[in-house]
Amino acid sequence: MPTPSLRLPSGACAALAACAILLTGCDRDQVSRSAPVPAAPASPMPAATPSGMPPGMSGDVAPPPAPASPLHWTLPKGWTETPGSGMRFATLNPPGPGKIELSVVCLPGQAGGELANVNRWRGQIGLEPLDEKALAASRQTVKSKAGSVAVFDFASQGQAQTRMITGSLTTKDGSTWFLKLVGDAVPVAKAKPDFMRYLETLHLD
């Protein structure tokens, strides 16, 4: 049988066309008003490496707590001092040419002990570790108002020598202070008399 055709009046066709246009418009508005896709949170910026810190130390080791009783001293004539950051309490620089600086670090407790720290410093300039007997033979003692300071003086081998003079003392609050003068052998030797007098001026009040 033939399919009956549906005939609509011309006015009805116009109304259907208008509805189609309105429905299309509604779909467009729904797309344009949809909630924006939230942006991915920005990655945190890595912390800058503190001045004077060895590579790889930033973020790996938390800075030590502030000492309960900060160490004080009299700065040798001509020396300059900058506040520390990170692991350092302060940095001191003697005058004159050549690579040289004095770092001041305070750590809670014994910080690994004297023998371990001395051998770690010797390893930094290519020297073999010491045993307890050799350590005792290498130790000098300087008296200060903050207590007795143990001093060790080492120099690397070879033509370009690095010299290191370290002082350490443990204060009454249990903190251990490390004062390390290191640099080229000639300027360190020149600064040693002032460094030894500087150690004598250490005090806590």
Side-chain angles (χ1 to χ4, degrees), residues 149-166:
V149 185
V151 181
F152 298 89
D153 188 347
F154 306 116
S156 66
Q157 306 299 316
Q159 293 183 345
Q161 285 191 342
T162 296
R163 188 166 176 176
M164 178 186 296
I165 308 175
T166 64

Side-chain angles (χ1 to χ4, degrees), residues 32 67 72 76 80 91 149 152 189 196:
S32 63
H72 302 281
T80 58
T91 299
V149 185
F152 298 89
M196 301 300 278

Side-chain angles (χ1 to χ4, degrees), residues 96-189:
K99 181 181 177 182
I100 180 173
E101 73 170 16
L102 167 60
S103 62
V104 181
V105 174
C106 179
L107 296 175
Q110 295 296 314
E114 185 179 58
L115 181 62
N117 279 296
V118 168
N119 283 334
R120 179 171 56 83
W121 295 325
R122 286 176 59 85
Q124 290 173 352
I125 59 174
L127 297 178
E128 295 293 324
L130 302 178
D131 58 19
E132 289 282 3
K133 184 177 180 180
L135 181 77
S138 302
R139 184 190 301 113
Q140 305 175 55
T141 301
V142 174
K143 299 292 185 182
S144 78
K145 291 182 179 179
S148 297
V149 185
V151 181
F152 298 89
D153 188 347
F154 306 116
S156 66
Q157 306 299 316
Q159 293 183 345
Q161 285 191 342
T162 296
R163 188 166 176 176
M164 178 186 296
I165 308 175
T166 64
S168 67
L169 79 159
T170 301
T171 52
K172 294 180 180 178
D173 65 357
S175 299
T176 302
W177 291 80
F178 300 98
L179 312 108
K180 185 170 68 173
L181 181 68
V182 64
D184 297 332
V186 172
V188 171

